[in-house]
């Protein structure tokens, strides 16, 4: 549906949203780039996409609908499958006996309209809408799924029979297998996984209590209660998960580990399963690893400025060690995979030894350790160096032997990437020395150490505010305010003469749907080996002295980087202080 440029221009002028001068400048650029006036005004930030869409709807005579806060009947909403709705930004919101009204961001998407027409067999009436309306409608798929799950539990748990076991008796493996293949149990576990994937959970906890079964999801690093199931569902749900992950059904006294994969909406998810006996039954924890997660860049992970330059410089070296440090679940593996992605060119051989292989990468030889048959990081690494590698990634350095082999590999002409469990980047030095690595070997091989944590990212509907004097006073106790201000000026977050009054920090705006946060972002410190730090290490200095010297040489600490992210409006100071505990 074509709109005359002159018609759109006069409409924009009449709206008063853009000055005539800005329209004139945009017109010149549109002519030189041979593109539309509306697109140029949107790219310059003079006009929002939603305002442009409303004008186009008015000119074309297509009704504009606002779905924000509007409850859509689930029977109507589900006429369009969620993946189609998400990919094409199209939702069904009103149905009559012979027609279906659909809200869209692009009414020229004839392919989507044709697909829906064939699927529902009704006349399709396209309506234009804005991005907030589409987001609001897509959220209702998840809420409806939750409601659907609740109804499913009520229906299906009624048909799950508690496995009668006499005192001291034991269910046979055959009984448990039959129970795991019972249709209600299969449905409950499938819906549980579907719900967790849609919610963006990283872990699912199925915890037996005295009188009930609690299911919790870890979303953005925090555990949330998802649902409470009847106690009699416990045996069958655990048996179903054991069948999927190929574990022994009748073994209830020992911990077991397994894994399985599911595919949902075209997304492959690998689940790492751990079953552990507890006082009230077997607790199951499933870690969700999305195999399709790729295409990350260091900038996307939150690296910036000097820290980003240091990592890029280290990746250009032919030898040496790049270490990522932090507690479990702080995103170390994702950072290393992103660095591997940068290094993954046709002229190098990359080999890894991991526990487990979390993401599959093309052209990378990935090996998983098997400690149960004696195949450890050390044995894997010993074999890897005979495979003519240029770049080696070791999942984790956890013992003296692995540390020694990794350092030797770095000395003999390989670039080695690995992770280490320490609280700070500088803390990696004494940790490696504890593993009997000689200081002279350490200073010759270590290139950079990345320390990191994950903080929750603010949702789009965030607010911005300056800190009060009392809040600044409290902040000054944990960070040097003058140094922080210089960092904000250097990265052009504020002007060269601006003070703390001009720093607008992020603040969450909670809604009934969420607490104002969505997703996570990394905060980092990147420690670089320099001549002065080499001398300190050779003298046997403490990690505090090494860190102090690194700060003098331009290292931004994790706490400072967190406050920097808060000043950008990506997260909050409270969230940073919660995660970075000194």
């Amino acid at each position: 549906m074509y709109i005359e440029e002159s018609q759109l221009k006069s409409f924009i002028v009449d709206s008063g949203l853009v000055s005539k001068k800005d329209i004139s400048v945009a017109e010149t650029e549109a002519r030189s780039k041979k593109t539309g006036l509306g697109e140029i005004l949107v790219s310059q930030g003079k006009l929002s996409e939603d305002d442009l869409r409303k004008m186009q709807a008015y000119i074309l005579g297509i009704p504009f609908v606002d779905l924000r806060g509007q409850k859509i009947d689930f029977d109507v909403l589900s006429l369009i499958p969620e993946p189609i709705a998400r990919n094409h930004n199209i939702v069904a919101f009103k149905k009559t006996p012979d027609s279906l009204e659909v809200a869209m961001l692009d009414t020229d998407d004839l392919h989507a309209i044709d697909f829906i027409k064939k699927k529902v067999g009704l006349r399709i009436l396209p309506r234009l809408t804005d991005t907030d309306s589409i987001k609001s409608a897509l959220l209702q798929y998840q809420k409806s799924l939750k409601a659907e799950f609740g109804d499913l539990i009520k229906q299906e748990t009624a048909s799950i029979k508690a496995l009668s076991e006499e005192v001291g008796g034991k269910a046979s493996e055959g009984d448990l297998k039959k129970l795991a293949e019972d249709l209600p149990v299969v449905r409950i576990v499938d819906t549980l996984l579907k719900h967790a994937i849609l919610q963006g959970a990283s872990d699912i906890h199925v915890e037996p209590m005295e009188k009930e079964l609690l299911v919790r999801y870890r979303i953005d690093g925090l555990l949330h209660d998802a649902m409470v199931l009847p106690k009699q569902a416990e045996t069958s749900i655990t048996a179903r998960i054991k069948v999927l992950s190929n574990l022994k059904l009748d073994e209830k006294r020992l911990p077991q580990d397994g894994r399985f994969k599911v595919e949902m909406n075209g997304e492959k998810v690998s689940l790492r399963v751990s079953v552990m006996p507890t006082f009230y039954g077997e607790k199951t924890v499933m870690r969700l690893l999305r195999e399709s997660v790729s295409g990350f860049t260091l900038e996307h992970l939150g690296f910036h400025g000097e820290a980003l330059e240091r990592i890029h410089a280290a990746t250009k070296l032919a030898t040496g060690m790049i270490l990522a440090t932090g507690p479990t679940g702080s995103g170390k593996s994702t950072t290393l995979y992103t660095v591997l992605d940068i290094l993954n060119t046709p002229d190098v051989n990359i080999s890894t030894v991991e526990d487990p292989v979390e993401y599959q990468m093309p052209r990378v030889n990935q090996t998983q350790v098997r400690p149960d048959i004696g195949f450890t990081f050390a044995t894997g690494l010993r074999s890897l160096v005979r495979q003519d590698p240029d770049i080696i990634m070791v999942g984790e350095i956890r013992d003296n032997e692995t540390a020694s082999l990794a350092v030797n590999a770095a000395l003999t002409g390989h670039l080695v990437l690995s992770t280490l469990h320490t609280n700070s980047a500088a803390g990696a030095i004494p940790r490696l020395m504890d593993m009997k690595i000689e200081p002279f070997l350490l200073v010759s091989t270590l290139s950079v150490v990345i320390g990191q944590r994950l903080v929750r990212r603010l949702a789009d509907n965030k607010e911005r505010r300056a800190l009060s004097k009392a809040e600044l006073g409290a902040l000054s106790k944990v960070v040097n305010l003058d140094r922080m201000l210089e960092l904000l000026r250097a990265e052009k977050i504020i002007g060269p003469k601006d003070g703390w009054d001009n720093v607008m920090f992020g603040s969450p705006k909670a809604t009934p749907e969420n607490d104002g946060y969505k997703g996570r972002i990394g905060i980092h410190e990147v420690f670089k080996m320099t001549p002065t730090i080499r001398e300190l290490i050779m003298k046997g200095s403490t990690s505090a002295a090494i860190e102090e010297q690194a700060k003098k040489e331009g290292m931004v600490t994790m706490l400072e980087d967190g406050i920097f992210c808060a000043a950008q409006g990506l997260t909050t100071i409270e969230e940073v202080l919660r995660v970075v505990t000194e």
Side-chain angles (χ1 to χ4, degrees), residues 566-579:
Q568 283 182 298
L570 297 173
T571 186
T572 61
I573 290 178
E574 293 80 9
E575 178 66 11
V576 172
L577 294 175
R578 177 184 74 81
V579 171

Side-chain angles (χ1 to χ4, degrees), residues 113-368:
I113 293 170
D114 191 45
F115 170 82
I116 292 156
K117 189 177 181 179
K118 283 176 184 169
K119 185 180 183 296
V120 298
L122 298 169
R123 191 160 63 97
I124 304 300
L125 306 174
R127 306 287 183 247
L128 218 56
T129 191
D130 55 20
T131 44
D132 284 346
S133 290
I134 290 287
K135 278 181 187 171
S136 166
L138 289 174
L139 259 177
Q140 292 186 41
Y141 275 99
Q142 291 185 27
K143 284 187 203 158
S144 303
L145 182 75
K146 211 167 186 176
E148 180 193 329
F149 191 93
D151 294 340
L152 185 86
I153 293 297
K154 281 175 194 163
Q155 293 162 19
E156 306 296 357
T157 44
S159 49
I160 292 178
K161 299 286 182 281
L163 195 68
S164 59
E165 291 180 25
E166 292 175 13
V167 180
K170 190 181 176 187
S172 72
E173 190 170 351
D175 289 341
L176 288 163
K177 199 166 193 325
K178 192 179 173 188
L179 201 67
E181 286 163 3
D182 203 17
L183 196 60
V185 180
V186 172
R187 278 192 197 146
I188 287 172
V189 173
D190 285 357
T191 318
L192 188 83
L193 296 174
K194 183 181 178 185
H195 192 211
I197 292 164
L198 277 176
Q199 295 273 60
S202 62
D203 301 84
I204 305 169
H205 291 235
V206 183
E207 305 176 31
M209 301 287 166
E210 187 179 3
K211 294 178 180 173
E212 58 201 17
L213 187 68
L214 176 65
V215 179
R216 299 199 284 173
Y217 296 152
R218 189 176 292 280
I219 301 169
D220 296 339
L222 296 179
L223 274 171
H224 302 268
D225 285 9
M227 60 206 71
V228 177
L229 308 182
K231 181 72 174 172
Q232 73 251 35
E234 181 208 324
T235 311
S236 41
I237 286 173
T238 307
R240 175 68 188 157
I241 294 166
K242 282 182 176 180
V243 163
L244 288 171
S245 40
N246 209 16
L247 300 177
K248 290 179 182 172
L249 288 172
D250 54 350
E251 178 55 82
K252 296 187 175 189
R253 299 162 303 162
L254 292 171
Q256 295 188 77
D257 293 316
R259 59 189 305 157
F260 65 95
K261 285 184 188 178
V262 294
E263 190 168 336
M264 208 156 280
N265 303 336
E267 183 184 14
K268 282 184 182 171
V269 180
S270 182
L271 289 103
R272 211 163 73 203
V273 180
S274 170
V275 181
M276 178 85 131
T278 65
F279 189 74
Y280 290 117
E282 290 180 287
K283 179 183 174 181
T284 306
V285 176
M286 292 177 274
R287 164 67 57 93
L288 282 73
L289 303 164
R290 286 160 176 79
E291 292 184 4
S292 54
V293 174
S294 62
F296 278 140
T297 61
L298 290 171
E299 291 86 348
H300 181 267
L301 296 180
F303 289 96
H304 58 91
E306 177 70 17
L308 187 63
E309 295 304 316
R310 286 178 171 188
I311 296 173
H312 278 302
T315 60
K316 290 181 174 66
L317 300 173
T319 64
M321 282 179 80
I322 298 173
L323 292 180
T325 70
T328 305
S330 60
K332 300 186 295 295
S333 298
T334 305
T335 299
L336 288 190
Y337 276 113
T338 306
V339 173
L340 273 189
D341 206 30
I342 295 166
L343 294 164
N344 194 2
T345 56
D347 56 338
V348 293
N349 171 23
I350 303 176
S351 295
T352 76
V353 53
E354 306 170 52
D355 181 23
V357 174
E358 291 187 22
Y359 306 118
Q360 280 143 20
M361 294 188 80
R363 300 182 70 101
V364 173
N365 310 293
Q366 294 171 276
T367 307
Q368 184 161 319

